[in-house]
Amino acid sequence: MWSSSVKTGSELSISGITAKQLAKDFGTPTFFIDEADFRARALAWNDALKEAFGDKAGTVYYASKAFSCTEVARWIKDLGIGIDVSTGGEMAVALAGGIDPKKIEVHGNNKSIAEIEKAISVGVETIVIDSMYEIDRVATAAAKAGKVQRVLLRLTPGIEAHTHESIATAHEDVKFGFSIASGAAWVAITAVHKQSSLELRGFHAHIGSQIFGFESFEILAERFVTFLAKYRDEFKKELPELDLGGGYGIAYLESDVTVVPRDAMQALANAVKKHCAAFNLEVPTVSIEPGRAIVGPTMFTLYEVGTVKDVTLENGTHRRYISVDGGMSDNIRPSLYGAEYTTILANRTSSAAHTSSRLVGKHCETGDIIIREIDLPEDIVPGDLLAVPATGAYGRSMASNYNHVPRPSVVAVKDGKARVIVRRESIEDLLALDI
Ligand SMILES: Cc1ncc(COP(=O)(O)O)c(C=O)c1O
């Protein structure tokens, strides 16, 4: 839940720097990212993939949609892992961080021609093709550039991952990819084969996000290996790659568990190897794309309390509304997915009794709720600091300017030192786009 350099118990600190000091130096709301923890998590996934798959380990592509900025891209470069980008903007950040295009994989269900041409011209390793239109578009752009582009086909294997509807991505009724069940995948394969500027390397799927348990991934492995065998039987050659996406779950609340990379990769490798043996297929190279599981637990958001209001509900019970200086513009997940978070008083300890509270933001929306129901010390007053853990994934990256609230800064902390890696937006930034 908290990253490894955070201490709670008395006043919250990260790498020895107290919450009060952080608020004084950087203001609130701010996202604090634990650099050592980020690096350790990324390496843990890389090591686990290598240990489980040996010489068939492909690449860990960090899913940069979870959170990216130029400094984080530099960390990815240093670590030597890959990065998955799903827009031209994410690709620009990866390139600005100096990541070798050979370590970049390009996604998106509606890539523009400009995005495709840019990806091909910088020399990205793999483009994951999502539609019939894209087969033509990527083939045309590659031919124009005089290149043969490596591609994977994104398939929907018809798996109902046990997660929120908006973050389940591999059942039939989704906008992504080619369905295996309907035969669309087969039509796409035939179309790719006709393009001399495309080299089909294999298949990709991302079954959803915040998934616990390995069953859905094992079913995915079985369906994909079966499909690889069908391909081999039809075309008398084997495809060398699978990319099985991200989606590994993390702990947001104390009662949650976090997926252990080594266990997840072992389960995946066992399933892939077992089914390959059954079909007498060579084990393909397997890549993965964790986003949340790398960056999610590495950040917390620090807010300052602005107002406190007590209400009596119809059933006579009491609720306290605690308003902080951010809200749905820096964390849309509770409103979007009903995501749950926890928080602690960060600037002091309190021995006061706890009272039923709702943590809300400063936006003009009743639904601007960060935590719907939580027991918090009843002596919380304006000026107190609250820290919300595990906000690294899809927090700052989904932030908006709703109500023209400037987006928060991101501060990296390591070895007792804190530095801004994404500066806070200013009112000037907000006005700069207006003509
Ligand atoms: C194609 C693809 N890969 C990887 C991810 C990362 O998922 P997660 O952050 O849950 O690991 C996503 C998330 O939406 C995705 O769409």
Side-chain angles (χ1 to χ4, degrees):
M1 214 181 54
W2 295 99
S3 65
S4 55
S5 311
V6 170
K7 288 206 169 34
T8 58
S10 52
E11 182 180 351
L12 178 139
S13 66
I14 174 166
S15 196
I17 313 175
T18 64
K20 270 201 292 271
Q21 191 63 47
L22 293 171
K24 181 163 172 270
D25 292 348
F26 300 103
T28 55
T30 293
F31 289 92
F32 292 94
I33 181 165
D34 186 333
E35 180 177 344
D37 196 72
F38 180 97
R39 288 174 181 267
R41 284 175 201 277
L43 284 180
W45 283 98
N46 201 39
D47 291 349
L49 183 75
K50 289 202 159 36
E51 197 180 303
F53 284 94
D55 63 350
K56 294 299 180 177
T59 303
V60 171
Y61 292 103
Y62 169 60
S64 66
K65 71 204 72 177
F67 173 71
S68 73
C69 65
T70 309
E71 180 63 3
V72 163
R74 285 187 204 108
W75 300 348
I76 297 292
K77 178 189 172 206
D78 277 2
L79 293 167
I81 66 170
I83 193 160
D84 128 21
V85 300
S86 56
T87 63
E90 287 177 1
M91 184 163 59
V93 173
L95 293 171
I99 295 179
D100 178 351
K102 292 270 162 243
K103 297 271 187 187
I104 299 179
E105 184 188 66
V106 178
H107 275 289
N109 69 302
N110 184 14
K111 305 168 190 74
S112 69
I113 294 192
E115 286 172 327
I116 292 168
E117 287 182 344
K118 175 75 182 175
I120 291 171
S121 76
V122 300
V124 302
E125 179 77 355
T126 307
I127 297 181
V128 181
I129 290 190
D130 212 289
S131 69
M132 293 300 286
Y133 298 98
E134 235 171 48
I135 295 174
D136 281 341
R137 289 172 190 166
V138 176
T140 304
K144 210 163 102 188
K147 292 185 176 179
V148 175
Q149 179 63 49
R150 290 184 165 200
V151 298
L152 299 178
L153 286 176
R154 180 166 182 166
L155 305 185
T156 46
I159 294 170
E160 302 277 344
H162 298 291
T163 188
H164 189 280
E165 189 198 0
S166 308
I167 48 177
T169 48
H171 46 294
E172 286 298 309
D173 189 10
V174 285
K175 66 175 182 170
F176 299 108
F178 301 95
S179 144
I180 293 183
S182 73
W186 212 246
V187 176
I189 289 170
T190 313
V192 172
H193 281 169
K194 288 192 187 137
Q195 301 286 354
S196 56
S197 58
L198 301 182
E199 180 191 350
L200 180 62
R201 302 284 299 170
F203 306 120
H204 166 279
H206 169 72
I207 59 175
S209 208
Q210 187 63 352
I211 297 169
F212 295 95
F214 305 135
E215 200 194 341
S216 305
F217 291 102
E218 288 163 346
I219 298 172
L220 171 64
E222 181 183 357
R223 295 207 179 151
F224 265 18
V225 171
T226 307
F227 201 65
L228 284 178
K230 193 172 169 208
Y231 181 96
R232 186 252 337 253
D233 295 345
E234 179 73 21
F235 297 107
K236 310 297 172 230
K237 61 175 181 177
E238 297 188 15
L239 288 174
E241 285 182 34
L242 288 183
D243 182 331
L244 301 179
Y248 302 97
I250 63 159
Y252 285 94
L253 307 177
E254 244 162 280
S255 52
D256 292 344
V257 290
T258 296
V259 172
V260 177
R262 182 182 269 182
D263 297 348
M265 290 303 96
Q266 209 56 61
L268 202 58
N270 290 347
V272 170
K273 288 176 191 169
K274 181 175 96 186
H275 297 298
C276 284
F279 284 106
N280 199 20
L281 260 186
E282 170 123 8
V283 174
T285 298
V286 173
S287 297
I288 56 165
E289 303 165 340
R292 184 191 315 271
I294 292 178
V295 74
T298 68
M299 284 199 219
F300 67 85
T301 311
L302 194 64
Y303 296 106
E304 186 180 299
V305 175
T307 68
V308 172
K309 169 188 169 176
D310 290 309
V311 298
T312 304
L313 307 178
E314 270 171 23
N315 61 7
T317 57
H318 157 263
R319 171 176 290 139
R320 174 162 292 179
Y321 277 85
I322 300 176
S323 298
V324 292
D325 48 359
M328 65 194 301
S329 58
D330 58 72
N331 190 352
I332 192 69
R333 296 187 66 256
S335 338
L336 200 58
Y337 311 140
E340 292 184 296
Y341 286 86
T342 188
T343 189
I344 61 167
L345 181 59
N347 54 313
R348 63 184 172 90
T349 53
S350 166
S351 52
H354 282 64
T355 188
S356 170
S357 306
R358 179 167 282 181
L359 187 67
V360 296
K362 63 179 280 146
H363 295 278
C364 294
E365 288 280 330
T366 304
D368 174 26
I369 296 170
I370 303 167
I371 303 174
R372 186 162 283 277
E373 179 67 50
I374 183 167
D375 288 338
L376 288 173
E378 62 185 9
D379 63 351
I380 287 178
V381 287
D384 273 331
L385 300 173
L386 294 178
V388 176
T391 54
Y394 310 103
R396 181 61 177 75
S397 73
M398 283 188 171
S400 75
N401 289 126
Y402 179 47
N403 291 143
H404 279 171
V405 170
R407 289 175 298 172
S409 48
V410 182
V411 171
V413 186
K414 185 166 175 264
D415 300 331
K417 293 198 178 65
R419 68 202 165 98
V420 176
I421 60 170
V422 179
R423 75 162 167 78
R424 186 180 304 285
E425 268 178 339
S426 62
I427 295 296
E428 291 68 38
D429 290 326
L430 296 180
L431 291 173
L433 300 181
D434 290 1
I435 308 296

